[in-house]
Amino acid sequence: MNVEMWIRALKAARAGAEVSQEGLAALIKWSPSTVAAIETGRRRPTMEFAVAADQALGTGGLLAGLLREHEGDRSPSWFLPWRSFEKKAVRLRHFEPCLIPGLLQTEEYARAIFTAGGLKRGEQVEQLLALRMSRQHVLHRTEPPECVFVIDESALHRPIGGPAEMDHQLGKLLEAAELPQVNLHVLPLDVGAHVSLGGGFVIAELPGNEHVLCLDNSARGQIADYPDWVGLMQRKWESLLGEALSERASLELISKLKVTP
């Protein structure tokens, strides 16, 4: 169990709930000194503490799940804090260079990604698939975030799951674009080199104009809120959006690539 990651998750959950160390201590009836010791790594968190913190912060078992010593969590440990940010976000800006973004994927498209190469199997695939599908509820909640997606055109041509499933996936993109809170743009292939060839990213804007990043790579993602990083990724986002097709032109391109009506 990665204690450092667990501490980061606890701090993120506190920040998201706008609860101070002292406030958390009062809510769970533990001493402020104990909460401080746990958050600084001087004291190891217990399951009792994690469960109490989950209840106080409304994190739905996130902290207790991170603390479990066995495998079988519904999502990778690095990703758990991001779920809280994604749910609280008022705006999500997502660039994806290789794939359809997770919030817009069909179930079979996502399954094809998780089973590629045979590195994940059986129950692990089903757990990851259930997590990805459940995350899409953020687009349909009562007050959904404004979501802007920029997708590299190459992702529209790669037949993940086979031609029929890819056609279904393109249809889902067109359906998602009808939602008033969703704006979809395609970065055309003829752009050539651009500022984020190295990987995708998401910028989550939280209430109070706070920003958090989710940076992707082939091994795992990274959650960060360093001001310098946020500023850099915002500049990259503006560059990508400026190179992308208009929403109308993007949807026309997707419609042309879709085989079935």
Side-chain angles (χ1 to χ4, degrees), residues 166-176 254 258:
M166 191 61 205
D167 197 62
H168 183 204
Q169 176 62 76
L170 294 176
K172 181 163 183 174
L173 288 181
L174 295 174
E175 291 176 5
I254 295 171
K258 192 176 185 325

Side-chain angles (χ1 to χ4, degrees), residues 5 45 49 57 66 72 112 133 141 147 179 183 198 214-215 228 232 243 245 255-256:
M5 179 59 69
F49 180 93
L57 300 174
L66 265 178
M133 294 300 102
R141 70 191 192 199
C147 298
L179 296 172
N183 293 287
C214 182
L215 308 173
D228 289 349
L232 172 63
E243 296 272 21
L245 299 175
S255 296
K256 289 179 181 178

Side-chain angles (χ1 to χ4, degrees), residues 3-254:
V3 176
E4 181 181 357
M5 179 59 69
W6 190 91
I7 292 171
R8 290 174 61 188
L10 173 61
K11 291 179 177 179
R14 270 203 311 99
E18 299 183 349
V19 175
S20 65
Q21 281 189 356
E22 293 77 11
L24 177 60
L27 287 171
I28 65 176
K29 296 179 170 51
W30 286 53
S31 71
S33 61
T34 298
V35 175
I38 289 174
E39 286 201 353
T40 56
R42 292 182 287 111
R43 178 167 174 173
R44 187 178 181 84
T46 65
M47 185 58 69
E48 181 183 5
F49 180 93
V51 170
D54 274 330
Q55 293 174 345
L57 300 174
T59 47
L62 182 152
L63 298 171
L66 265 178
L67 201 58
R68 295 189 186 100
E69 295 292 344
H70 60 82
E71 295 183 354
D73 287 336
R74 288 172 58 86
S75 60
S77 60
W78 70 264
F79 185 76
L80 287 170
W82 179 253
R83 295 189 67 187
S84 175
F85 295 131
E86 195 171 62
K87 290 178 180 179
K88 295 178 183 298
V90 297
R91 183 174 294 105
L92 293 169
R93 290 172 285 177
H94 190 151
F95 170 68
E96 180 54 65
C98 301
L99 301 169
I100 303 302
L103 291 179
L104 303 178
Q105 291 175 5
T106 67
E107 184 171 338
E108 290 309 311
Y109 182 98
R111 185 186 299 277
I113 293 170
F114 291 136
T115 56
L119 300 181
K120 301 180 181 68
R121 299 181 182 179
E123 184 179 355
Q124 185 182 15
V125 169
E126 295 307 315
Q127 289 174 344
L128 290 170
L129 188 62
L131 169 65
R132 180 149 299 179
M133 294 300 102
S134 69
R135 286 177 52 218
Q136 296 183 3
H137 295 162
V138 72
L139 298 178
H140 305 283
R141 70 191 192 199
T142 303
E143 295 184 6
E146 176 190 341
C147 298
V148 186
F149 300 91
V150 175
I151 308 172
D152 194 282
E153 185 182 346
S154 62
L156 305 179
H157 293 278
R158 189 178 301 277
I160 291 176
E165 179 48 43
M166 191 61 205
D167 197 62
H168 183 204
Q169 176 62 76
L170 294 176
K172 181 163 183 174
L173 288 181
L174 295 174
E175 291 176 5
E178 295 179 359
L179 296 172
Q181 71 276 16
V182 172
N183 293 287
L184 184 60
H185 299 268
V186 175
L187 185 69
L189 290 173
D190 60 16
V191 166
H194 58 74
V195 296
S196 197
L197 287 168
F201 62 89
V202 187
I203 305 173
E205 182 180 332
L206 308 178
N209 199 35
E210 295 183 46
H211 295 82
V212 182
L213 305 173
C214 182
L215 308 173
D216 287 340
N217 62 50
S218 58
R220 52 164 289 171
Q222 182 176 11
I223 314 302
D225 61 356
Y226 309 120
D228 289 349
W229 290 21
V230 170
L232 172 63
M233 300 315 292
Q234 287 178 326
R235 292 193 295 275
K236 287 193 173 189
W237 171 261
E238 294 300 328
S239 175
L240 292 165
L241 192 59
E243 296 272 21
L245 299 175
S246 69
E247 187 171 20
R248 179 177 177 178
S250 297
L251 298 181
E252 288 177 351
L253 174 58
I254 295 171

